[in-house]
Structure formats: C-alpha cells, structure tokens
Short mmCIF file of all heavy atoms in Angstrom, two decimals:
data_model
loop_
_atom_site.label_atom_id
_atom_site.label_comp_id
_atom_site.label_asym_id
_atom_site.label_seq_id
_atom_site.Cartn_x
_atom_site.Cartn_y
_atom_site.Cartn_z
N ARG A 285 6.43 11.83 3.67
CA ARG A 285 6.08 12.16 2.28
C ARG A 285 4.98 11.29 1.69
O ARG A 285 4.29 11.73 0.76
CB ARG A 285 7.32 12.03 1.39
CG ARG A 285 8.44 13.02 1.71
CD ARG A 285 9.61 12.81 0.76
NE ARG A 285 10.66 13.81 0.95
CZ ARG A 285 11.70 13.66 1.77
NH1 ARG A 285 11.81 12.54 2.46
NH2 ARG A 285 12.60 14.61 1.88
N TYR A 286 4.81 10.07 2.20
CA TYR A 286 3.96 9.11 1.49
C TYR A 286 2.90 8.50 2.40
O TYR A 286 3.08 8.39 3.61
CB TYR A 286 4.81 8.00 0.88
CG TYR A 286 5.92 8.53 0.00
CD1 TYR A 286 7.25 8.48 0.42
CD2 TYR A 286 5.65 9.08 -1.24
CE1 TYR A 286 8.28 8.97 -0.38
CE2 TYR A 286 6.67 9.58 -2.05
CZ TYR A 286 7.97 9.52 -1.61
OH TYR A 286 8.98 10.02 -2.40
N SER A 287 1.82 8.08 1.78
CA SER A 287 0.69 7.50 2.51
C SER A 287 0.71 5.97 2.45
O SER A 287 1.39 5.37 1.61
CB SER A 287 -0.62 8.00 1.91
OG SER A 287 -0.79 7.49 0.58
N ARG A 288 -0.08 5.38 3.33
CA ARG A 288 -0.28 3.94 3.27
C ARG A 288 -0.87 3.54 1.92
O ARG A 288 -0.52 2.49 1.36
CB ARG A 288 -1.21 3.50 4.40
CG ARG A 288 -0.63 3.63 5.80
CD ARG A 288 -1.67 3.33 6.86
NE ARG A 288 -1.09 3.29 8.21
CZ ARG A 288 -1.78 3.05 9.30
NH1 ARG A 288 -3.10 2.82 9.22
NH2 ARG A 288 -1.19 3.03 10.48
N SER A 289 -1.76 4.36 1.41
CA SER A 289 -2.39 4.07 0.12
C SER A 289 -1.34 3.97 -0.99
O SER A 289 -1.35 3.03 -1.80
CB SER A 289 -3.41 5.16 -0.22
OG SER A 289 -3.95 4.96 -1.51
N PHE A 290 -0.42 4.94 -1.03
CA PHE A 290 0.62 4.93 -2.06
C PHE A 290 1.51 3.70 -1.91
O PHE A 290 1.85 3.04 -2.91
CB PHE A 290 1.44 6.22 -1.95
CG PHE A 290 2.57 6.30 -2.93
CD1 PHE A 290 2.33 6.33 -4.30
CD2 PHE A 290 3.89 6.35 -2.50
CE1 PHE A 290 3.38 6.41 -5.22
CE2 PHE A 290 4.94 6.43 -3.40
CZ PHE A 290 4.68 6.46 -4.76
N LEU A 291 1.89 3.38 -0.69
CA LEU A 291 2.76 2.22 -0.46
C LEU A 291 2.03 0.92 -0.79
O LEU A 291 2.64 -0.02 -1.32
CB LEU A 291 3.27 2.22 0.97
CG LEU A 291 4.24 3.37 1.27
CD1 LEU A 291 4.39 3.57 2.77
CD2 LEU A 291 5.59 3.13 0.63
N HIS A 292 0.74 0.86 -0.48
CA HIS A 292 -0.07 -0.30 -0.86
C HIS A 292 -0.03 -0.48 -2.38
O HIS A 292 0.15 -1.60 -2.89
CB HIS A 292 -1.51 -0.10 -0.38
CG HIS A 292 -2.49 -1.11 -0.89
ND1 HIS A 292 -2.69 -2.33 -0.28
CD2 HIS A 292 -3.32 -1.08 -1.97
CE1 HIS A 292 -3.60 -3.01 -0.94
NE2 HIS A 292 -4.00 -2.28 -1.97
N HIS A 293 -0.20 0.64 -3.09
CA HIS A 293 -0.16 0.60 -4.56
C HIS A 293 1.19 0.10 -5.07
O HIS A 293 1.26 -0.78 -5.94
CB HIS A 293 -0.45 2.00 -5.12
CG HIS A 293 -0.09 2.16 -6.55
ND1 HIS A 293 -0.81 1.58 -7.59
CD2 HIS A 293 0.94 2.83 -7.16
CE1 HIS A 293 -0.25 1.87 -8.75
NE2 HIS A 293 0.81 2.63 -8.51
N LEU A 294 2.29 0.65 -4.51
CA LEU A 294 3.61 0.23 -4.96
C LEU A 294 3.84 -1.25 -4.69
O LEU A 294 4.44 -1.96 -5.52
CB LEU A 294 4.70 1.05 -4.25
CG LEU A 294 4.82 2.53 -4.59
CD1 LEU A 294 5.97 3.15 -3.79
CD2 LEU A 294 5.03 2.74 -6.09
N PHE A 295 3.39 -1.74 -3.53
CA PHE A 295 3.58 -3.15 -3.20
C PHE A 295 2.83 -4.03 -4.19
O PHE A 295 3.36 -5.05 -4.66
CB PHE A 295 3.09 -3.42 -1.77
CG PHE A 295 3.34 -4.83 -1.31
CD1 PHE A 295 4.59 -5.21 -0.85
CD2 PHE A 295 2.32 -5.78 -1.35
CE1 PHE A 295 4.83 -6.52 -0.44
CE2 PHE A 295 2.55 -7.08 -0.94
CZ PHE A 295 3.82 -7.45 -0.48
N LYS A 296 1.61 -3.65 -4.52
CA LYS A 296 0.81 -4.43 -5.47
C LYS A 296 1.46 -4.46 -6.85
O LYS A 296 1.33 -5.44 -7.59
CB LYS A 296 -0.60 -3.86 -5.56
CG LYS A 296 -1.46 -4.12 -4.33
CD LYS A 296 -1.77 -5.60 -4.19
CE LYS A 296 -2.76 -5.87 -3.08
NZ LYS A 296 -3.08 -7.32 -2.93
N GLN A 297 2.17 -3.38 -7.17
CA GLN A 297 2.84 -3.30 -8.47
C GLN A 297 4.23 -3.96 -8.46
O GLN A 297 4.93 -3.94 -9.47
CB GLN A 297 2.98 -1.83 -8.90
CG GLN A 297 1.66 -1.10 -9.08
CD GLN A 297 0.76 -1.78 -10.07
OE1 GLN A 297 1.20 -2.14 -11.16
NE2 GLN A 297 -0.51 -1.97 -9.70
N LYS A 298 4.61 -4.50 -7.29
CA LYS A 298 5.93 -5.12 -7.13
C LYS A 298 7.05 -4.13 -7.49
O LYS A 298 8.05 -4.49 -8.13
CB LYS A 298 6.06 -6.40 -7.95
CG LYS A 298 5.10 -7.50 -7.53
CD LYS A 298 5.29 -8.76 -8.37
CE LYS A 298 4.50 -9.94 -7.84
NZ LYS A 298 3.04 -9.70 -7.81
N SER A 299 6.88 -2.91 -7.07
CA SER A 299 7.83 -1.85 -7.39
C SER A 299 9.06 -1.91 -6.49
O SER A 299 8.95 -2.09 -5.27
CB SER A 299 7.14 -0.49 -7.23
OG SER A 299 8.08 0.57 -7.27
N ASN A 300 10.23 -1.73 -7.10
CA ASN A 300 11.46 -1.64 -6.31
C ASN A 300 11.45 -0.44 -5.38
O ASN A 300 12.08 -0.46 -4.31
CB ASN A 300 12.68 -1.57 -7.23
CG ASN A 300 12.95 -2.88 -7.95
OD1 ASN A 300 12.57 -3.95 -7.47
ND2 ASN A 300 13.59 -2.79 -9.11
N LEU A 301 10.72 0.61 -5.78
CA LEU A 301 10.62 1.78 -4.93
C LEU A 301 9.97 1.44 -3.60
O LEU A 301 10.35 1.99 -2.56
CB LEU A 301 9.82 2.88 -5.64
CG LEU A 301 9.59 4.17 -4.85
CD1 LEU A 301 10.91 4.81 -4.44
CD2 LEU A 301 8.74 5.15 -5.68
N PHE A 302 9.02 0.50 -3.62
CA PHE A 302 8.37 0.13 -2.36
C PHE A 302 9.38 -0.42 -1.36
O PHE A 302 9.39 -0.02 -0.20
CB PHE A 302 7.28 -0.92 -2.57
CG PHE A 302 6.80 -1.49 -1.27
CD1 PHE A 302 5.90 -0.81 -0.49
CD2 PHE A 302 7.33 -2.69 -0.77
CE1 PHE A 302 5.50 -1.28 0.75
CE2 PHE A 302 6.94 -3.19 0.46
CZ PHE A 302 6.02 -2.47 1.22
N THR A 303 10.22 -1.35 -1.79
CA THR A 303 11.15 -1.97 -0.84
C THR A 303 12.12 -0.93 -0.27
O THR A 303 12.50 -1.01 0.90
CB THR A 303 11.92 -3.12 -1.50
OG1 THR A 303 12.57 -2.65 -2.69
CG2 THR A 303 10.99 -4.25 -1.88
N ALA A 304 12.51 0.05 -1.09
CA ALA A 304 13.40 1.10 -0.60
C ALA A 304 12.70 1.96 0.45
O ALA A 304 13.24 2.20 1.55
CB ALA A 304 13.88 1.97 -1.76
N LEU A 305 11.49 2.41 0.17
CA LEU A 305 10.77 3.27 1.11
C LEU A 305 10.40 2.52 2.38
O LEU A 305 10.47 3.07 3.49
CB LEU A 305 9.51 3.82 0.44
CG LEU A 305 9.73 4.76 -0.74
CD1 LEU A 305 8.39 5.16 -1.36
CD2 LEU A 305 10.51 6.00 -0.32
N ALA A 306 10.02 1.25 2.23
CA ALA A 306 9.66 0.44 3.40
C ALA A 306 10.87 0.17 4.28
O ALA A 306 10.78 0.20 5.52
CB ALA A 306 9.02 -0.87 2.95
N SER A 307 12.03 -0.08 3.67
CA SER A 307 13.25 -0.33 4.44
C SER A 307 13.66 0.91 5.22
O SER A 307 14.07 0.82 6.39
CB SER A 307 14.38 -0.77 3.50
OG SER A 307 14.09 -2.01 2.90
N ILE A 308 13.57 2.08 4.58
CA ILE A 308 13.89 3.33 5.28
C ILE A 308 13.04 3.47 6.53
O ILE A 308 13.54 3.81 7.61
CB ILE A 308 13.69 4.53 4.33
CG1 ILE A 308 14.79 4.57 3.27
CG2 ILE A 308 13.65 5.85 5.11
CD1 ILE A 308 14.55 5.57 2.16
N HIS A 309 11.75 3.18 6.41
CA HIS A 309 10.85 3.30 7.56
C HIS A 309 11.23 2.32 8.67
O HIS A 309 11.39 2.72 9.84
CB HIS A 309 9.41 3.07 7.15
CG HIS A 309 8.48 2.92 8.31
ND1 HIS A 309 8.05 3.99 9.08
CD2 HIS A 309 7.93 1.81 8.88
CE1 HIS A 309 7.27 3.56 10.06
NE2 HIS A 309 7.18 2.23 9.96
N ASN A 310 11.36 1.05 8.34
CA ASN A 310 11.63 0.05 9.38
C ASN A 310 12.95 0.30 10.10
O ASN A 310 13.04 0.17 11.33
CB ASN A 310 11.61 -1.36 8.78
CG ASN A 310 10.20 -1.90 8.61
OD1 ASN A 310 9.22 -1.25 8.97
ND2 ASN A 310 10.08 -3.09 8.07
N ILE A 311 13.99 0.64 9.35
CA ILE A 311 15.28 0.94 9.97
C ILE A 311 15.18 2.18 10.86
O ILE A 311 15.69 2.20 11.99
CB ILE A 311 16.37 1.13 8.89
CG1 ILE A 311 16.68 -0.20 8.18
CG2 ILE A 311 17.65 1.72 9.50
CD1 ILE A 311 17.36 -1.23 9.05
N HIS A 312 14.49 3.20 10.37
CA HIS A 312 14.32 4.43 11.16
C HIS A 312 13.61 4.14 12.48
O HIS A 312 14.01 4.69 13.53
CB HIS A 312 13.53 5.47 10.37
CG HIS A 312 13.16 6.68 11.18
ND1 HIS A 312 13.95 7.80 11.24
CD2 HIS A 312 12.09 6.93 11.98
CE1 HIS A 312 13.39 8.69 12.03
NE2 HIS A 312 12.26 8.19 12.50
N VAL A 313 12.58 3.31 12.46
CA VAL A 313 11.83 3.03 13.68
C VAL A 313 12.74 2.44 14.75
O VAL A 313 12.71 2.85 15.93
CB VAL A 313 10.63 2.10 13.40
CG1 VAL A 313 10.01 1.59 14.71
CG2 VAL A 313 9.58 2.82 12.58
N LEU A 314 13.58 1.47 14.38
CA LEU A 314 14.47 0.86 15.37
C LEU A 314 15.50 1.87 15.89
O LEU A 314 15.82 1.88 17.08
CB LEU A 314 15.16 -0.37 14.78
CG LEU A 314 14.23 -1.53 14.41
CD1 LEU A 314 15.05 -2.79 14.13
CD2 LEU A 314 13.19 -1.81 15.48
N HIS A 315 16.02 2.71 15.00
CA HIS A 315 16.96 3.74 15.45
C HIS A 315 16.27 4.74 16.38
O HIS A 315 16.87 5.22 17.36
CB HIS A 315 17.56 4.48 14.25
CG HIS A 315 18.55 3.67 13.48
ND1 HIS A 315 19.37 2.74 14.06
CD2 HIS A 315 18.85 3.65 12.15
CE1 HIS A 315 20.15 2.19 13.13
NE2 HIS A 315 19.84 2.74 11.97
N ASP A 316 15.02 5.09 16.07
CA ASP A 316 14.29 6.03 16.91
C ASP A 316 14.02 5.44 18.30
O ASP A 316 14.10 6.15 19.30
CB ASP A 316 12.97 6.41 16.23
CG ASP A 316 12.26 7.55 16.94
OD1 ASP A 316 12.86 8.63 17.08
OD2 ASP A 316 11.12 7.35 17.37
N VAL A 317 13.71 4.15 18.35
CA VAL A 317 13.54 3.48 19.64
C VAL A 317 14.83 3.58 20.44
O VAL A 317 14.81 3.87 21.65
CB VAL A 317 13.10 2.01 19.44
CG1 VAL A 317 13.20 1.23 20.75
CG2 VAL A 317 11.68 1.94 18.90
N CYS A 318 15.97 3.35 19.79
CA CYS A 318 17.26 3.45 20.49
C CYS A 318 17.50 4.87 20.99
O CYS A 318 17.99 5.07 22.11
CB CYS A 318 18.39 3.01 19.57
SG CYS A 318 18.44 1.23 19.25
N ALA A 319 17.20 5.86 20.16
CA ALA A 319 17.41 7.25 20.55
C ALA A 319 16.56 7.61 21.77
O ALA A 319 17.03 8.31 22.69
CB ALA A 319 17.08 8.19 19.39
N LYS A 320 15.33 7.13 21.79
CA LYS A 320 14.46 7.43 22.93
C LYS A 320 14.89 6.66 24.18
O LYS A 320 14.73 7.17 25.30
CB LYS A 320 13.01 7.14 22.55
CG LYS A 320 12.44 8.18 21.57
CD LYS A 320 11.00 7.90 21.20
CE LYS A 320 10.38 9.08 20.46
NZ LYS A 320 11.06 9.43 19.21
#
C-alpha cells in the first residue's frame, strides 16, 4: 500500500503510524523467510 517516500515522510514527522507500518514489514519479512 505504501511507498518509501511516504514512510520517509512519516519517519521525519515522528509519526506513530510509521512505527506500526515498519514493524509489520520487518516481522513479515522474517516470517516469509521461514515460510520459504
């Protein structure tokens, strides 16, 4: 749903939404590695 640009913007704004979206990504990546 989201671009690097949008996440860069949220991080610069110290938005709580950034940490939620970033955590979803990082956790998903490790689970996907396990699935593969």
Side-chain angles (χ1 to χ4, degrees):
R285 295 181 175 91
Y286 306 107
S287 66
R288 292 173 173 180
S289 176
F290 178 63
L291 292 163
H292 171 85
H293 165 72
L294 291 181
F295 184 80
K296 288 293 187 180
Q297 299 303 313
K298 297 181 171 61
S299 168
N300 289 335
L301 178 59
F302 169 80
T303 54
L305 295 176
S307 295
I308 288 170
H309 169 76
N310 279 358
I311 291 292
H312 173 91
V313 169
L314 296 192
H315 288 327
D316 189 58
V317 168
C318 288
K320 288 181 169 60

